[in-house]
Amino acid sequence: MSTQTLIYLFVGVSFALYIGIAVWSRAGSTAEFYVAGGGVSPMVNGMATAADWMSAASFLSMAGIIAFAGYDGSVYLMGWTGGYVLLALLLAPYLRKFGEFTVPDFIGTRYYSKVARVVAVLCLVIISFTYIAGQMRGVGIVFSRFLDVPVDLGVVFGMAIVFVYAVMGGMKGITYTQVAQYCVLIFAYLVPAFFISFMVTGNPVPQLGLGSEVADGSGLYVLQKLDLVLQDLGFAAYTAGSKSTIDVFCITLALMVGTAGLPHVIVRFFTVPKASDARKSAGWALLFIALLYTTAGPVGAFARLNFVETVNETEYAEAPAWFGNWEANDLLAWRDKDGDGAMQYRPGAAFEGAPVFTEGETGPSGERLLSNPATDTENEVYVDNDIMVLANPEIAQLPGWVIALVAAGGLAAALSTAAGLLLVISSSVSHDLLKKTFRPDITEKGELRAARLAATAAILVAGYLGIYPPGWVAQVVAFAFGIAAASLFPAIVMGIFSKRMNREGAIAGMLGGLAFTLSYIAWFKLVNPEANVAENWLLDISPEGIGVIGMLVNFALAIGVSLLTKGPPAEIGRLVEKIRVPRGAEVPHMH
C-alpha cells in the first residue's frame, strides 16, 4: 500500500472516530455544553486537558524551534511546562472550588461587577483569536502537505470537522474527542522518535538517546557532534545561547504565567466533580504532557543533525524526494547562488522574505525559481521551522505508515486546541454576555442555541484568519501567552489570594496590562518592525517577553487603585475565605 493511501486511511479513520464520538456525546443541556455535565473522571479529564493544551505549536513547532534555535529554544520548553505546573498547583483547585465555570464568570462574581465580566470577556476573546488563527493555519499546512490540497482548502476541511464536534457536542463532545485525539497525537509523536533515536544512537528511548554516543563510530555524543557540525558550517554551537539573561527570564516567565491564565485550559477543571478531582486530573495531565515535552528536545536535536547531513552539499538533482515534496508546498526552497548545483546550508537568510516562486519556471537543476532578491550570505537553503516534526520520518526514511501516523497526529493536535478555544469563545458570548449581563431572562434552550451560534461564528472568523492570515499571525501564537499573563492572570490570582482587591482595582489592572502589552507588541510587529532589535527594546526585553512587564503594570495599577477606593463587600471576603478551604466543591453554577 502506498504512503499516500496510508495517509488517506489514517486521517479518514481518525476523523470518522472524532465525528462518531461527537454524535454519541451530543450535548442536550447548557451543563453538558459548558462543563460536560461536571462528572468527568480525573484521568479522562487529564488526558483531555493534555490534548487541549498541546496545540499545533507543541506538536509541530516546538521541536522545530529547538532544532533551529538550540539552547535559545529551551525557553518554550521551560515556560510552557512550568506554566502548567503553576496552573495545576496555584489556580485550578481554587477555581473548581469556587464553582463558576468560565473565567469571566469567576471575575464577574468575585469582583461583583458586570463591567469586570465584560472586560474579562474582551481579554479572553483577544487571547483566543490570537491563538486560534495559528491553529487553523497549522491545520491547513498539514492538510496541504499530506492530502495534496491547497492550504486554504485544508483550512476549510479543518473548519468543517471542528464544526461537527464542537457545535454539536459542546464540552461533552470535545472532552471525549480530545481523549481520542491525545491517543492519536502522542502515539504519532513517540513512534517516529523511537525509530530515529535508535537509528542515530542505537538507543530507542529518545530521552536517553540524547545523552548517548552517535552510532557512527566517532565516539562523540549527540550534542558534541551537533556542536561540531554546526560550528564547521559557521553556525553558533547548538548548546550556546544568544539571548540576554533578562530576556530569557522574561520570555520563560511570560509563557509560564500566560499558560496559567489561558482560559481554554482553566475551564477544563470545571468538568470534574470535586476540587480534589481537579488536583488529580492536573497530575494526570502533567504525566500525559511530560511524555511529549521530554521527547521534544531529543527530536529537535536529531532533526537538526539529520537535516544538515542530508541536505548540505547534496546535489539538488540527487536531493531526496521529501525535499521536493516540501518545496512544492512553499515550505522549503533552494537558490543556487554559486551555480554549482549543490545545496550549501549556512547561517543567515538565503534570500529576502518568505519564498515567492515564479510560476512554472525551473532552474538548470530542476529547482523552482524564486523572485526574491538574494542576500549576500553563503546560505542557499530556506527551511520553515514548522516542517521538522512532519518531515522527520521522511528525512529518516521511516516506513509509510509512520508518515501517515504523524499526519493524523498533527491534525489531532491542531484540531483539539482549536475546539477548546472555540468553546471558550462561545461560552463567553452566550453565558457571560447574554445570560449574565444583557439578557438575564433568556431560557436555557435559548442560551444553548446562542452558544451554538456563537461557536459557529467563531469558527467562521477563525477560518478566515487561517485562510487570510495577517503577516504576523504565525509569529504571534506566543504573544497570546503574553497577553494572558498581562490581563487575566493577575486578576485571577488576586481574586483568590487577596480579600482587599476590589472591582475598581481589577478593572484598572486588566485594562492597563492589556493596553500596555498590546501596544508594545503592535509597535514592534506591525507599526515599526524595522525597530525590533535589542537596542530599542524596553529594558532589553523582546516583544515575546514583554507580557511580564504588562503583568507588573497590571498588579501595580490594581493594588494602587484598590487602595484609593472602597474595599469589597463583606460577603466577598467570606467567599474568598471559603474557596481556600481544600474540601468539597460547588456544583458549577449555571444560572
Side-chain angles (χ1 to χ4, degrees), residues 21-371:
I21 292 173
V23 172
W24 167 72
S25 57
R26 189 175 190 276
S29 66
T30 50
E32 290 182 345
F33 194 89
Y34 293 144
V35 292
V40 178
S41 75
M43 190 177 81
V44 169
N45 193 51
M47 203 175 287
T49 305
D52 207 346
W53 189 60
M54 291 192 293
S55 63
S58 294
F59 189 94
L60 300 179
S61 300
M62 191 166 63
I65 292 172
I66 295 171
F68 289 98
Y71 177 83
D72 286 341
S74 63
V75 295
Y76 294 93
L77 205 58
M78 294 186 292
W80 284 334
T81 307
Y84 185 77
V85 175
L86 191 66
L87 170 64
L89 297 179
L90 187 64
L91 302 181
Y94 300 106
L95 289 174
R96 178 63 192 90
K97 179 73 186 299
F98 195 73
E100 302 295 347
F101 60 89
T102 69
V103 172
D105 220 355
F106 169 78
I107 289 177
T109 305
R110 165 60 183 83
Y111 294 112
Y112 48 98
S113 168
K114 289 184 178 179
V115 175
R117 185 189 298 273
V118 173
V119 171
V121 170
L122 173 68
C123 298
L124 182 148
V125 169
I126 292 174
I127 295 165
S128 298
F129 275 122
T130 303
Y131 202 171
I132 202 171
Q135 303 302 314
M136 296 308 293
R137 192 67 184 172
V139 171
I141 289 173
V142 179
F143 269 120
S144 167
R145 167 64 190 90
F146 289 114
L147 299 186
D148 199 22
V149 297
V151 173
D152 295 352
L153 185 58
V155 173
V156 174
F157 282 168
M159 290 168 62
I161 297 296
V162 173
F163 175 84
V164 170
Y165 68 80
V167 175
M168 181 183 295
M171 180 59 88
K172 188 179 177 185
I174 287 174
T175 297
Y176 295 107
T177 305
Q178 284 176 336
V179 170
Q181 287 169 333
Y182 176 78
C183 296
V184 172
L185 77 87
I186 198 65
F187 194 61
Y189 203 87
L190 295 181
V191 168
F194 290 151
F195 272 112
I196 295 169
S197 179
F198 183 74
M199 291 170 64
V200 174
T201 68
N203 190 327
V205 181
Q207 293 84 347
L208 299 178
L210 184 64
S212 304
E213 291 181 5
V214 182
D216 60 357
S218 65
L220 295 172
Y221 289 91
V222 172
L223 293 178
Q224 281 181 321
K225 178 165 184 179
L226 200 45
D227 279 350
L228 289 174
V229 167
L230 292 177
Q231 287 175 311
D232 284 347
L233 296 178
F235 292 93
Y238 188 77
T239 53
S242 63
K243 294 181 182 295
S244 67
T245 303
I246 188 170
D247 201 28
V248 168
F249 174 80
C250 287
I251 294 174
T252 305
L253 187 58
L255 293 172
M256 281 182 67
V257 295
T259 299
L262 282 182
H264 71 293
V265 178
I266 291 174
V267 76
R268 288 231 57 90
F269 294 101
F270 297 116
T271 65
V272 294
K274 298 178 294 184
S276 59
D277 289 335
R279 289 190 179 89
K280 291 175 186 172
S281 66
W284 279 111
L286 193 58
L287 173 66
F288 295 132
I289 290 168
L291 287 177
L292 187 147
Y293 267 58
T294 57
T295 309
V299 167
F302 297 147
R304 186 71 178 276
L305 195 56
N306 274 338
F307 183 83
V308 173
E309 293 186 333
T310 311
V311 169
N312 187 49
E313 300 299 345
T314 298
E315 297 281 340
Y316 179 84
E318 298 174 2
W322 59 265
F323 194 98
N325 293 337
W326 288 103
E327 185 185 29
N329 293 103
D330 302 348
L331 299 172
L332 272 178
W334 172 59
R335 190 183 188 106
D336 192 10
K337 293 179 179 177
D338 56 9
D340 67 350
M343 299 184 285
Q344 276 81 42
Y345 178 55
R346 301 287 187 276
F351 44 79
E352 294 180 11
V356 179
F357 293 99
T358 53
E359 282 301 322
E361 295 184 32
T362 56
S365 300
E367 78 277 15
R368 295 178 70 192
L369 290 181
L370 296 143
S371 59

Side-chain angles (χ1 to χ4, degrees), residues 488-505:
L488 294 180
F489 179 77
I492 296 171
V493 169
M494 290 185 289
I496 295 172
F497 296 104
S498 169
K499 289 195 289 185
R500 181 63 181 80
M501 184 51 56
N502 62 9
R503 64 185 171 197
E504 290 83 3

Side-chain angles (χ1 to χ4, degrees), residues 531-545:
N532 189 20
V533 293
E535 292 74 26
N536 297 324
W537 294 341
L538 176 66
L539 303 175
D540 209 21
I541 299 171
S542 64
E544 287 81 1

